[in-house]
Amino acid sequence: MGYAKRTRPAAPASSGSAQPSPQSASAGAKSGGKAESIWNMQIGGKKGKEKMSRTEVLLFTSELADLLEAGMTLGQALQALSNQGDEASGQRYVCRDLCDRIVRGENFSDACFKHPKTFEPLYGNMIRAAEASGAMVEVLRRLNDHYERYDNMRGKIKSALSYPVIVLVFGICAVIAALIWIIPQFQKVFDSLGASLPLPTRMLIGMSDLVVHYGWAMAIGAALAGWWFHHWSKTPSGRLKIDGWKLRAPLVSGIIAAGAYSSLAYTLKTLLSNGVNVLQALKIAEDTCGNAVIAEALSNARKRVTDGTSISGPLASSGAFPRMMTDMLAIGEQAGDMASSLEHIGRRYQKDMDRSIATFTNALEPILILAIAGVVGFVAVSILLAVFKVSSSIG
C-alpha cells in the first residue's frame, strides 16, 4: 500500500486521526458552504503568525520524521505538532491548517503548496515524490539535512562578511564625527592665528566645511541613491548585473560563487535522488538558487534539455559555471549516476568555500588596518603640518 493512501483517511471520525471541530464546520457554513479552517480565524482578537521561520521548518521536518517513524499516522503527527509552541506561533497555525487539509482528503504535498511563505517549491516537490514512492520518513530526513547544510553555508558567508561591514560602518561614522565636531575646532584656532595652511590641511578643512554646511543634502542624496539602488536591484536587469558582480568580485567572489555552486549541486542531487524528473528539478533549482545569473543559465539549460541535450553541455556553454563543475557533471551523465556526481560537486565546492572564507578573513584584517591607518594618518598629518607651520610663522 502506498504512503499517500495510508495518510488520507476515508473516515475522518476515526480516533487516530485529526478531526475537524464543530467550530470549523460552522465557520464553513457561514461562509456560504466554502470550507474554511478555524485556524484561519483570529484567536483572542489577535491574529498570530501565518508562516514558520526557517528554524521552525527545520524543527518541524525533523520532529515529523521522528513521529512518523514511531508509527503515528500523518494526521496524528500533525495534530501532535500543532499543540507545540506558543498559541500565536507560526508552527501552530501552519500545522493546524495542514492537519485540517489532510482530514479533508488533500495530499500532504498539495497542503504544503498552500503555504508558499513557509515551504519552498523544493519542499513540496520532495514531499510529492515521497508520496509516490512511500518513503516519507527518508525524504523528510533528506530535506532536514539539505536545509541544515544550506543554513550552515549561509551562516559561514554571513559571518565572513559581517566583520568588514561593521568595521567600515564604525570607521565611516568616526570620520564623519571628526569632520563635524573636531576639525572645526582646529579651524577656529588656525583662523585666529591668521597663518597660511599647507595643502593637506586645507583639503581636510574643505571636507569638513562640505559636511557641516551641505551634510543634509549629502544625506538626502545618499538616501535617494540607496532607494534607487534598492528598487533597481529588484528588477531583472539589476539582479542580473548585481549577481554577476557577486560571482566576479575580488575576495568575496570565491565565497559567494562556491557557496552558490555547492548549494545548487546539493539541491539537484536531493531532487534527482528522490525521483523528481530532470526538467522539474532544473525548474525548482532555478527558482531557489538565489542568483539571477545561475538561474538564467538553468533556464536556458532546461529549454535545451527538452530537445534531448544533456545538462552539462548547456551549462558549460552559458559561461556561468566553472569548467571543473560541468566536466564532473558530464562524467555523471555518461555513467548514469548524476546524483553521485552532484554529491561530489557539492562537497568539492563546500570545501572551496571554507578555504575562501579562511583566505578572506586572513587577508581582511591587514587590509582594514591599512585603510583605517591611512585615514587616521591623513587627519593627523594634516593637523600636525598646520601646527608646525603656524608655530614657525609665530616664531
Side-chain angles (χ1 to χ4, degrees):
M1 181 181 294
Y3 191 89
K5 293 181 180 180
R6 184 161 54 88
T7 58
R8 294 174 59 185
S14 62
S15 59
S17 59
Q19 301 181 20
S21 62
Q23 293 92 336
S24 178
S26 63
K30 291 179 181 180
S31 60
K34 183 179 177 181
E36 181 182 357
S37 173
I38 182 66
W39 317 120
N40 292 330
M41 300 174 61
Q42 295 187 13
I43 301 175
K46 181 179 179 181
K47 192 173 183 179
K49 296 180 181 178
E50 296 184 358
K51 68 173 184 177
M52 287 193 282
S53 66
R54 195 153 187 107
T55 302
E56 289 174 329
V57 173
L58 274 172
L59 292 174
F60 165 80
T61 305
S62 177
E63 292 170 351
L64 181 60
D66 291 339
L67 294 175
L68 293 178
E69 195 170 27
M72 281 189 177
T73 65
L74 184 59
Q76 290 173 331
L78 290 173
Q79 181 68 35
L81 291 174
S82 68
N83 294 325
Q84 305 300 317
D86 298 331
E87 185 64 31
S89 65
Q91 178 174 335
R92 281 205 171 193
Y93 173 84
V94 174
C95 288
R96 288 172 174 176
D97 188 72
L98 290 175
C99 184
D100 197 27
R101 292 178 184 278
I102 294 297
V103 170
R104 293 205 303 264
E106 291 188 30
N107 287 327
F108 185 31
S109 57
D110 294 334
C112 289
F113 281 121
K114 298 294 173 47
H115 295 274
K117 293 182 179 180
T118 296
F119 303 109
E120 298 177 351
L122 168 69
Y123 200 102
N125 281 279
M126 290 280 290
I127 296 298
R128 180 167 291 170
E131 291 171 337
S133 63
M136 181 66 72
V137 174
E138 181 183 354
V139 170
L140 287 171
R141 299 288 187 204
R142 290 182 179 178
L143 274 171
N144 191 66
D145 292 341
H146 173 81
Y147 282 112
E148 282 184 345
R149 187 166 47 235
Y150 182 74
D151 287 350
N152 184 44
M153 285 191 293
R154 288 188 63 185
K156 288 181 178 179
I157 293 174
K158 286 183 177 180
S159 63
L161 297 178
S162 59
Y163 175 69
V165 170
I166 292 173
V167 172
L168 287 176
V169 168
F170 275 98
I172 293 173
C173 291
V175 170
I176 293 175
L179 292 175
I180 293 176
W181 289 292
I182 299 176
I183 303 303
Q185 302 302 320
F186 283 98
Q187 182 182 3
K188 292 178 182 178
V189 175
F190 297 147
D191 291 342
S192 64
L193 296 175
S196 61
L197 301 176
L199 178 61
T201 309
R202 294 200 303 271
M203 293 174 57
L204 186 63
I205 292 175
M207 287 188 289
S208 176
D209 289 339
L210 184 65
V211 172
V212 169
H213 294 99
Y214 301 101
W216 60 272
M218 297 170 65
I220 294 175
L224 291 175
W227 176 84
W228 173 84
F229 181 81
H230 173 74
H231 284 270
W232 175 73
S233 65
K234 301 297 182 182
T235 62
S237 60
R239 284 192 58 201
L240 201 63
K241 288 185 179 297
I242 293 173
D243 289 343
W245 176 83
K246 290 178 182 178
L247 298 177
R248 299 187 302 270
L251 290 179
V252 299
S253 62
I255 301 174
I256 296 175
Y261 299 147
S262 178
S263 177
L264 172 64
Y266 279 127
T267 300
L268 288 174
K269 180 257 179 183
T270 302
L271 291 168
L272 295 177
S273 61
N274 284 280
V276 179
N277 64 67
V278 175
L279 290 177
Q280 192 175 8
L282 287 174
K283 175 60 178 174
I284 296 171
E286 175 189 341
D287 295 335
T288 58
C289 68
N291 187 286
V293 175
I294 295 177
E296 185 179 48
L298 291 173
S299 176
N300 294 332
R302 184 165 51 86
K303 295 174 183 176
R304 293 182 61 180
V305 168
T306 58
D307 300 331
T309 309
S310 65
I311 298 177
S312 58
L315 294 183
S317 62
S318 68
F321 301 93
R323 180 65 180 270
M324 181 177 296
M325 180 177 178
T326 55
D327 286 347
M328 292 176 69
L329 190 58
I331 293 173
E333 288 177 332
Q334 295 172 6
D337 190 7
M338 286 183 59
S340 296
S341 292
L342 289 167
E343 175 75 21
H344 293 312
I345 292 171
R347 285 203 303 265
R348 169 63 186 266
Y349 283 101
Q350 190 169 9
K351 292 179 181 178
D352 285 350
M353 185 189 70
D354 293 338
R355 285 194 295 268
S356 298
I357 289 175
T359 302
F360 175 75
T361 53
N362 291 334
L364 187 64
E365 187 172 354
I367 292 174
L368 289 176
I369 290 174
L370 288 174
I372 295 173
V375 174
V376 174
F378 173 75
V379 174
V381 168
S382 299
I383 294 176
L384 288 175
L385 286 176
V387 171
F388 294 150
K389 186 76 174 290
V390 171
S391 299
S392 61
S393 64
I394 293 176

